[in-house]
Amino acid sequence: MRKLEIYPPIMNACGILSYLSVFEHLEELGADVGAWIPKSIGPREKQGNENPVIHFNGSVLMNSMALPSMSPDDFEKELREYRGETPLIISHYGETPDDYARSVARFDKYCIAHEINISCPNFVPGEKSILEKLEPAEVLREVRKETDKPVIAKLSPSDNYIGIAQQIVDYVDYINCGNTLARGLEIEPYSGRAYLAGTFGGLSGEAIRPITTRMVYDMYKSFGNRIGIIATGGISKPDHIISYARAGASLFQIGTALHKNSTFTAFFLRNIWKDVEEILKAINVKSIDEIVGVNFVG
Amino acid sequence: MRLWVLILLAKKRFVIKGVVEHNPYMKTFVFEESFKANPGQFAMVFIPGVGEKPFSLSSGESITVEKRGHFTEKFFEMGKGDFVYIREPLGIGFYRMNYLAIAGGSGIAPIIHLVHDGDVKTLLYGAKDKEHLILNSLEQRTEVRYATDDGSYGYPGFVTDLITKELVDEYEFFAICGPEVMMKHAADKLVEFGVPSENIELSLERYMKCGEGLCGICEISGRRVCVDGPVFTYDEVLKMPDFTKFKRAKSGKKVVL
């Protein structure tokens, strides 16, 4: 396993904040993360779903962005102009294993690791989901040939994640638990139309944290000795990071909680890890690695 | 331990109480219930089956809409008793008072809200022609000086021509909303007349998706217009090289404005 050495071990979740200029601005304001992840890059320019792309029902957030993406050429232009100091992890999606492999090869020099999105539950109505089109093992095998940097596979708690992980465990260094939970539907009662233009949407935020925590725990029990685990889903307080670490995660991504203005977002990303370290000190733990997957007794 | 408070907004159903038709291109929809938003803040308006778009609010219970495309055409077909869903208040609005306000075209919408709240002493308001102006309502609450590009009403020429040193000297704070090039001209002129750039507030517009700071598509030089704006002070805008130059399209690609 190739270890992803970043400090602090927190990142934005892919699809949140999305653009290099946003990352640069947050850095100027003092945000402190181990890496930034730009919006997933696909093989060609794509618009994604029409608005509304998000729906918050008071308890859970749904989104149906469906992977809007600029073209790889435009993306590379922005990468060349990136002035931030924080390293990048690049997220890829594609329609064929070759799409992924080419994208990984092309952008290898701009990043410290690759995240392979094989689980986005959202797609434009009429299309197929990524997993309906692709064999995960084939994708990751092709990707592995193109890079010596850490490879992260992002799975969703609503996939058969243990089954998929078994097929890909030899080709990846990390598994990200996980993508949004697939897929919810809410109907506007008076018109009979869905609240989302894409009809169905992936669930995220605080409400799904118990489910991703379970996914982290399952993954750690099955593969914890071979790969690292990234926890993504509903982290909005330092406590959530400690809990995820106890379940087995060593890296953490923050998504829905970053929906505030830049000053607040930067404050949040500057302080959340400091607060984690304070808590660790208070419970006599020197480093988070000491509690990863070992302190949970059920 | 710090306090971590993070709440997203749920949308709420609003029923239309009445519609005011200002001209062939602009209507104000008045709702039965009032909004929480302050002038300059905005709302995401969802029409089931049609879509969702950001709009400035024109008062505590109304939205003024210019017909631009498919969504606003559908909006224009709605009347008393019809409903939309609204997420508000979003973003940061105007936060001073006793303004000299400068509006161009549909940029009048958030300025109307300021006028309603009694925060505008003088309004300079320009549009293409008389048919694109909102007439006979703002005058009741503030002094309005009009300009039209074709000279069909008020001063013949650009609204920025109405900015004089004499007028500017009477004011401390300035609110501007309109096409970006017009806003730049107006703000530059104010700075030329000695106004500190932090006393000038501009309301910016970018294509939006989530409207709540998540997706990043509305960024302008790294600032997310939906949460860092839409109202920015001019000293902040001067740090944005993308102002008047670039925006992001639906795919996230940067395109020329």
Side-chain angles (χ1 to χ4, degrees):
Chain A
M1 171 197 165
R2 297 157 183 81
K3 201 167 177 230
L4 189 50
E5 302 279 4
I6 57 169
Y7 181 84
I10 56 170
M11 299 155 257
N12 65 304
C14 183
I16 303 293
L17 308 175
S18 305
Y19 303 101
L20 302 179
S21 41
V22 177
F23 303 152
E24 286 169 7
H25 182 56
L26 291 172
E27 240 176 270
E28 278 165 25
L29 296 174
D32 186 17
V33 296
W36 295 114
I37 311 184
K39 183 83 190 158
S40 294
I41 186 72
R44 62 192 68 83
E45 189 180 354
K46 188 183 152 193
Q47 299 204 329
N49 272 323
E50 293 295 323
N51 283 347
V53 289
I54 72 162
H55 171 63
F56 180 64
N57 70 2
S59 304
V60 71
L61 178 69
M62 292 167 67
N63 93 79
S64 66
M65 297 290 289
L67 293 168
S69 172
M70 64 183 92
S71 69
D73 288 350
D74 288 326
F75 185 52
E76 189 158 21
K77 209 174 132 209
E78 292 199 17
L79 285 169
R80 283 207 202 97
E81 288 165 7
Y82 176 58
R83 295 285 167 266
E85 281 172 16
T86 307
L88 301 174
I89 293 173
I90 292 181
S91 168
H92 310 264
Y93 81 86
E95 276 142 31
T96 63
D98 192 45
D99 284 344
Y100 284 92
R102 261 187 294 156
S103 189
V104 166
R106 176 169 183 177
F107 296 116
D108 199 50
K109 63 172 178 280
Y110 297 104
C111 64
I112 54 164
H114 298 274
E115 184 166 274
I116 306 303
N117 182 353
I118 46 168
S119 55
C120 179
N122 296 311
F123 42 91
V124 178
E127 285 184 359
K128 284 180 173 173
S129 75
I130 294 178
L131 279 176
E132 281 173 311
K133 290 186 280 199
L134 290 169
E135 281 298 326
E138 212 183 313
V139 172
L140 272 309
R141 194 167 52 231
E142 293 308 309
V143 163
R144 184 76 282 170
K145 290 178 194 161
E146 302 294 338
T147 181
D148 286 324
K149 292 177 174 165
V151 170
I152 304 158
K154 189 168 181 178
L155 305 180
S156 162
S158 39
D159 296 329
N160 168 21
Y161 51 81
I162 293 292
I164 296 171
Q166 259 156 4
Q167 299 166 34
I168 61 175
V169 69
D170 291 335
Y171 312 119
V172 302
D173 307 291
Y174 285 87
I175 286 183
N176 185 340
C177 309
N179 218 314
T180 55
L181 181 64
R183 283 193 307 163
L185 166 66
E186 283 217 299
I187 299 169
E188 197 286 311
Y190 300 91
S191 64
R193 309 297 291 258
Y195 278 110
L196 290 168
T199 308
F200 308 107
L203 276 53
S204 67
E206 298 262 349
I208 72 154
R209 200 174 51 242
I211 296 169
T212 34
T213 304
R214 155 93 193 273
M215 181 181 177
V216 168
Y217 172 72
D218 285 349
M219 208 61 92
Y220 187 82
K221 266 201 317 188
S222 304
F223 306 104
N225 54 345
R226 298 167 70 186
I227 52 163
I229 291 157
I230 302 176
T232 310
I235 295 177
S236 66
K237 286 187 200 177
D239 305 31
H240 302 150
I241 290 180
I242 309 266
S243 303
Y244 267 134
R246 291 196 192 277
S250 55
L251 296 170
F252 311 90
Q253 293 185 355
I254 302 166
T256 310
L258 303 182
H259 72 276
K260 292 282 170 184
N261 68 49
S262 295
T263 310
F264 189 92
T265 306
F267 170 89
F268 182 101
L269 291 175
R270 180 169 67 246
N271 288 307
I272 191 164
W273 189 255
K274 284 185 192 160
D275 282 5
V276 168
E277 290 186 332
E278 257 174 48
I279 296 171
L280 292 177
K281 217 163 142 190
I283 57 174
N284 290 320
V285 174
K286 275 197 211 77
S287 132
I288 192 130
D289 295 336
E290 283 179 32
I291 60 166
V292 171
V294 294
N295 259 16
F296 170 65
V297 289
Chain B
M1 268 306 287
R2 291 172 186 91
L3 187 65
W4 305 91
V5 186
L6 300 147
I7 306 155
L8 281 158
L9 287 176
K11 54 174 88 69
K12 207 180 128 188
R13 190 164 168 266
F14 282 83
V15 177
I16 297 171
K17 192 163 85 178
V19 183
V20 183
E21 202 175 327
H22 301 289
N23 57 46
Y25 313 98
M26 292 174 100
K27 280 185 181 180
T28 292
F29 296 86
V30 185
F31 295 94
E32 283 179 0
E33 279 180 77
S34 47
F35 303 128
K36 295 191 191 86
N38 292 316
Q41 289 188 297
F42 72 101
M44 292 296 285
V45 178
F46 166 56
I47 305 176
V50 178
E52 187 181 43
K53 290 252 181 284
F55 287 93
S56 295
L57 303 167
S58 55
S59 79
E61 61 283 310
S62 71
I63 297 178
T64 300
V65 180
E66 184 191 48
K67 206 198 270 188
R68 272 194 201 176
H70 176 69
F71 185 91
T72 46
E73 266 165 37
K74 292 284 170 195
F75 206 165
F76 262 49
E77 287 168 15
M78 300 181 93
K80 187 174 159 39
D82 291 334
F83 69 89
V84 297
Y85 279 80
I86 294 179
R87 269 192 282 153
E88 64 89 34
L90 296 169
I92 294 166
F94 297 105
Y95 57 96
R96 269 81 162 246
M97 48 214 287
N98 297 331
Y99 285 103
L100 171 66
I102 305 157
S106 62
I108 191 66
I111 302 292
I112 299 174
H113 200 176
L114 267 182
V115 171
H116 264 268
D117 282 17
D119 290 330
V120 176
K121 293 289 160 211
T122 302
L123 167 62
L124 311 181
Y125 176 21
K128 241 189 325 208
D129 52 38
K130 190 181 173 190
E131 279 217 314
H132 282 82
L133 285 170
I134 294 178
L135 294 169
N136 306 322
S137 64
L138 298 161
E139 296 89 335
Q140 290 152 22
R141 292 172 192 259
T142 188
E143 190 205 332
V144 191
R145 299 183 193 175
Y146 294 97
T148 49
D149 298 352
D150 70 348
S152 52
Y153 196 83
Y155 170 82
F158 295 129
V159 66
T160 46
D161 298 342
L162 299 177
I163 304 169
T164 59
K165 174 98 172 93
E166 204 185 4
L167 182 64
V168 168
D169 283 346
E170 289 173 38
Y171 288 91
E172 190 177 0
F173 300 117
F174 302 82
I176 313 177
C177 188
E180 239 159 74
V181 175
M182 168 246 149
M183 288 198 283
K184 186 175 171 1
H185 280 159
D188 285 345
K189 209 164 168 186
L190 294 173
V191 170
E192 225 172 88
F193 290 152
V195 177
S197 54
E198 62 270 23
N199 286 0
I200 306 168
E201 293 170 45
L202 278 61
S203 177
L204 306 189
E205 185 181 56
R206 282 292 180 276
Y207 177 72
M208 282 183 191
K209 286 190 176 181
C210 74
E212 292 195 60
L214 291 166
C215 70
I217 194 109
C218 65
E219 68 92 17
I220 166 164
S221 300
R223 284 82 171 166
R224 287 164 286 159
V225 170
C226 66
V227 284
D228 294 328
V231 174
F232 294 89
T233 52
Y234 196 47
D235 58 324
E236 184 72 8
V237 173
L238 288 170
K239 293 177 208 151
M240 306 174 185
D242 287 358
F243 178 63
T244 72
K245 301 220 162 46
F246 298 105
K247 63 172 187 172
R248 286 191 189 272
K250 277 181 192 175
S251 66
K253 178 193 173 141
K254 247 179 157 179
V255 294
V256 175
L257 198 65

